[in-house]
Amino acid sequence: MNRTDRLYALVEELRAAGPRGRTATQLAAHFEVSVRTIERDLSAIGQAGVPIATRQGRTGGYSLDPSMTLPPLNFTPREATAVAVALSSSAHVLFARDARSALQKIVAAMPRAALDEARTAAAKVRLVVPVGAAPDADVAETIWQAVRRNQVLRIGYVDVDQVESDRDVEPQHVVVGPRGSYLTAWCRLREDDRVFRMDRITRAERVAALPRGPRRPIEPEVPGQLIARPETALRPEKILAMATETPT
């Protein structure tokens, strides 16, 4: 997580904490940085005009001014159960921590009775979660950052014959599947679109070279499998439009 993302996340974490707030030690552990880094970040947030209150003493810490605290989201027990099932079905190394954080925010905002009902319902569900070969966490994070920012990657890749090669690639998509995860990219070595198994990428680093320009990325296809696009879940207007289309 870069500093800008962490500053936004700090505000949201304090907003979710409400009047109770968080100590610098708690925030440091949550974001996996030092207490000194958290204190510098909080100072920067305060200088930007966000009203952060501090409490001294053993129970002291940091909290947002009540005027900055939004009312809790009103998740129904069924909605909370659905989110818990959806997040539990994906334990990919790239998203596991953020999924846990999202679910914790939902739990913190729910009334006790609704939360108890959701937990009772969720206890009746069991998921069969396929376990594929897991990529190295640091390598996966480097790949993800390059995909997000449209940056060229230099990777070490071991093919099916156990031959390792160095390649410069232009990342397109991260594909998370039941038998593992993959990177689709334009391979400069082969001068073609390629699909790389992420657990076979032994190292990855972002390089200063620029992509060759706009190129329509290939859409991954798996015979007999439906490819879901998570962006649709963040655009409910598209779901509504598809639901109201009249068949021809």
Side-chain angles (χ1 to χ4, degrees):
M1 180 182 293
N2 62 42
R3 187 168 188 248
T4 300
D5 290 341
R6 189 172 65 247
L7 292 180
Y8 280 108
L10 268 170
V11 173
E12 291 306 312
E13 181 67 20
L14 291 177
R15 194 195 307 279
R20 295 171 298 174
R22 294 284 189 268
T23 66
T25 301
Q26 290 172 329
L27 293 170
H30 180 76
F31 290 101
E32 298 181 354
V33 295
S34 68
V35 170
R36 180 172 295 182
T37 296
I38 289 295
E39 291 173 342
R40 283 200 300 262
D41 287 349
L42 290 170
S43 176
I45 292 170
Q47 291 172 18
V50 178
I52 295 179
T54 60
R55 299 191 313 276
Q56 303 300 320
R58 292 181 58 189
T59 61
Y62 299 89
S63 62
L64 279 185
D65 184 277
S67 64
M68 286 287 294
T69 303
L70 297 176
L73 295 176
N74 293 317
F75 281 90
T76 68
R78 289 193 61 156
E79 288 171 339
T81 302
V83 172
V85 170
L87 295 182
S88 298
S89 66
S90 177
H92 193 274
V93 65
L94 282 179
F95 309 111
R97 178 183 171 190
D98 295 316
R100 289 195 302 269
S101 175
L103 196 53
Q104 287 169 359
K105 290 178 181 179
I106 293 172
V107 167
M110 292 183 68
R112 183 69 192 190
L115 178 58
D116 288 343
E117 184 177 341
R119 285 172 170 166
T120 299
K124 305 295 184 180
V125 179
R126 296 292 183 271
L127 294 173
V128 178
V129 181
V131 180
D136 177 85
D138 291 336
V139 169
E141 181 62 26
T142 300
I143 293 170
W144 178 233
Q145 294 299 329
V147 171
R148 288 177 57 199
R149 298 172 183 173
N150 195 33
Q151 295 174 317
V152 177
L153 271 176
R154 180 163 297 145
I155 64 173
Y157 188 70
V158 179
D159 65 18
V160 68
D161 296 318
Q162 301 302 305
V163 176
E164 185 168 6
S165 60
D166 293 325
R167 304 167 184 240
D168 284 3
V169 301
E170 299 177 22
Q172 297 169 349
H173 299 106
V174 167
V175 183
V176 179
R179 294 180 179 84
S181 52
Y182 305 83
L183 168 70
T184 65
W186 173 265
C187 178
R188 291 185 171 181
L189 178 65
R190 303 303 183 196
E191 296 188 338
D192 198 3
D193 291 308
R194 286 289 188 268
V195 178
F196 301 96
R197 272 184 48 170
M198 287 177 64
D199 62 298
R200 290 181 179 168
I201 298 177
T202 58
R203 60 189 181 279
E205 61 177 323
R206 289 175 282 172
V207 297
L210 296 175
R212 296 187 180 183
R215 178 186 293 111
R216 185 174 182 179
I218 60 171
E219 285 293 334
E221 295 183 2
V222 181
Q225 298 288 327
L226 175 66
I227 302 297
R229 300 182 62 167
E231 65 170 315
T232 305
L234 298 177
R235 297 182 181 272
E237 68 277 7
K238 285 191 174 183
I239 299 175
L240 180 61
M242 289 187 293
T244 56
E245 286 179 353
T246 302
T248 58

